[in-house]
Amino acid sequence: MSVNGIGAQYYPAWRETRSEQKTGSGIGFAGRMANVVGTNASENGRKASTASGRDNYVGGDAASIYGMGVYSRKDISASQDFSLPIETERYKIEDASYIEGVPAYDVVDKLTGKGLYIREDQLAIQRDEKTGMEFLINMDQPFSSNVIVTGELKNLLNDLSEKRNIDLKEIPLQGGLVVNHDPKTGLDYLSINGNEAKGVSVIITSEKDIETLNKLADEFQKYSVSSQRYTAELYALLEISGNLKREKDGFTFLTPDGITYIPYDGNPQKAWEIVIPSSDYSAARRYLAMGIEASNYQTWLSKFNSARLLDVDTEQFNHYSMNGDRNGYRFIQ
């Protein structure tokens, strides 16, 4: 069963646009706000869930796991005569052909619709030491391509590793990833320790979690500015991860290196964006949680000497806000 409305075909991922802002060659305020791209599942059947986003911010650092030597074949010449797919009631592992001569697999969680495409030489079970939760993660796209490892999946992976003669390692979470908890919804999520705005992936363990996530997205879809489903899902992720505060007339939310306010009705005259050094993110997060007057940009400017207010490109803002259903931004390219 796929996550209703949090489907397996598209996921939001924010692009780095600061170089455009510095040169003035960017696509304007709305483009920066709406620069969320939709990634299709490949012909091999890769799945990506909109319960996650912003993989581009972490790919370089997180992918360093691949240089750790966690993968080894016990006997590269051993017979590999076994057939795929292999599956249980909840999980399925399918053949995803070869990449650069290395076998690859699609691993699908049938309960949530989440899944990942992963090379055989990248297979490793990653464990969060605080919670004991275990994950299978494609570190090139850790937020859109991860599956929680239950005993059921671990047995399946052990079966695969035995038949493929793989030394399947169990290692701590890599790339600065940690498991956090949202007390309001009761949902756990993966994020980057110290800058949770860099990415978030909700950890779905049951149909109740799916229901909770969908209810929150339903709430956001009632606002004109997020009337499109994938936009509502994005704001839901931001709120779950503690990066968004709902104000009287709009959302204030944190990005990895900034603070943004967007009114519920999408009025560009009331929207603003502030750039701050990424080193100030933790302080901004604390201020947001403290309940300051977050919708007033002067409040933020008074707290960060290095902050600067960006010009709002109203023409571009209107282009995006009037696109699609004419009530919200298009958060796909």
Side-chain angles (χ1 to χ4, degrees):
M1 181 182 71
S2 64
V3 183
N4 183 27
I6 315 286
Q9 186 175 9
Y10 295 101
Y11 71 94
W14 285 14
R15 289 182 174 178
E16 176 60 78
T17 59
R18 295 303 169 218
S19 60
E20 294 178 336
Q21 292 166 4
K22 291 177 182 177
T23 62
S25 61
I27 58 174
F29 176 82
R32 293 191 293 273
M33 295 305 93
N35 218 342
V36 180
V37 298
T39 299
N40 284 309
S42 76
E43 65 277 10
N44 290 325
R46 272 177 288 179
K47 291 180 183 286
S49 174
T50 47
S52 56
R54 303 183 193 171
D55 282 324
N56 57 295
Y57 276 102
V58 298
D61 294 334
S64 63
I65 180 180
Y66 300 150
M68 293 176 56
V70 299
Y71 164 80
S72 64
R73 290 288 290 276
K74 297 176 183 176
D75 183 359
I76 196 68
S77 62
S79 172
Q80 309 300 326
D81 186 20
F82 80 106
S83 60
L84 290 171
I86 55 175
E87 61 184 308
T88 64
E89 182 178 355
R90 177 169 175 177
Y91 299 98
K92 184 176 185 179
I93 299 178
E94 298 180 281
D95 184 8
S97 190
Y98 284 72
I99 299 295
E100 298 178 350
V102 179
Y105 306 101
D106 281 320
V107 182
V108 179
D109 182 341
K110 292 182 283 187
L111 170 67
T112 66
K114 289 191 69 174
L116 74 158
Y117 164 87
I118 191 166
R119 288 167 45 134
E120 187 177 79
D121 58 352
Q122 298 169 358
L123 280 171
I125 296 174
Q126 299 189 38
R127 178 184 175 88
D128 178 66
E129 299 300 331
K130 180 176 65 176
T131 64
M133 290 184 179
E134 294 180 322
F135 303 89
L136 192 63
I137 304 173
N138 181 329
M139 294 302 290
D140 289 326
Q141 297 179 322
F143 295 113
S144 63
S145 298
N146 66 77
V147 172
I148 190 168
V149 176
T150 63
E152 186 177 339
L153 179 56
K154 184 176 284 189
N155 289 337
L156 203 60
L157 291 170
N158 286 333
D159 186 34
L160 175 68
S161 63
E162 180 180 347
K163 293 177 178 177
R164 292 289 294 171
N165 295 300
I166 302 168
D167 185 11
L168 184 65
K169 294 288 196 298
E170 297 187 16
I171 59 177
L173 277 175
Q174 302 295 304
L177 293 172
V178 294
V179 174
N180 285 314
H181 180 75
D182 174 35
K184 180 181 177 181
T185 61
L187 295 172
D188 295 317
Y189 60 93
L190 277 170
S191 63
I192 295 293
N193 188 32
N195 196 327
E196 288 78 4
K198 282 188 175 181
V200 57
S201 179
V202 176
I203 300 167
I204 302 296
T205 61
S206 66
E207 292 192 18
K208 181 181 178 181
D209 291 344
I210 297 172
E211 182 181 352
T212 299
L213 190 56
N214 275 316
K215 283 184 177 179
L216 187 59
D218 289 343
E219 289 181 26
F220 279 96
Q221 201 167 4
K222 295 176 183 178
Y223 301 109
S224 295
V225 75
S226 51
S227 59
Q228 295 187 41
R229 186 65 182 186
Y230 40 74
T231 312
E233 292 162 357
L234 171 62
Y235 286 133
L237 295 177
L238 290 171
E239 185 170 85
I240 288 168
S241 59
N243 287 297
L244 180 145
K245 179 184 177 185
R246 286 189 247 185
E247 310 281 355
K248 178 182 177 182
D249 298 311
F251 309 120
T252 301
F253 60 89
L254 306 180
T255 67
D257 51 5
I259 306 152
T260 299
Y261 175 77
I262 298 181
Y264 296 138
D265 61 5
N267 184 346
Q269 303 302 321
K270 299 178 181 178
W272 51 260
E273 182 184 15
I274 290 174
V275 174
I276 59 173
S278 58
S279 57
D280 285 337
Y281 166 80
S282 294
R285 184 180 175 89
R286 288 196 300 272
Y287 286 132
L288 192 68
M290 287 168 53
I292 66 170
E293 191 181 355
S295 60
N296 185 343
Y297 67 84
Q298 295 288 357
T299 302
W300 295 103
L301 292 176
S302 68
K303 294 185 178 299
F304 298 102
N305 293 330
S306 56
R308 64 186 179 90
L309 184 66
L310 296 180
D311 293 331
V312 175
D313 184 335
T314 56
E315 181 180 352
Q316 287 290 341
F317 190 92
N318 281 319
H319 168 73
Y320 277 84
S321 65
M322 296 303 290
N323 211 333
D325 66 356
R326 304 185 65 81
N327 286 312
Y329 305 103
R330 288 195 67 187
F331 281 85
I332 57 174
Q333 201 169 250

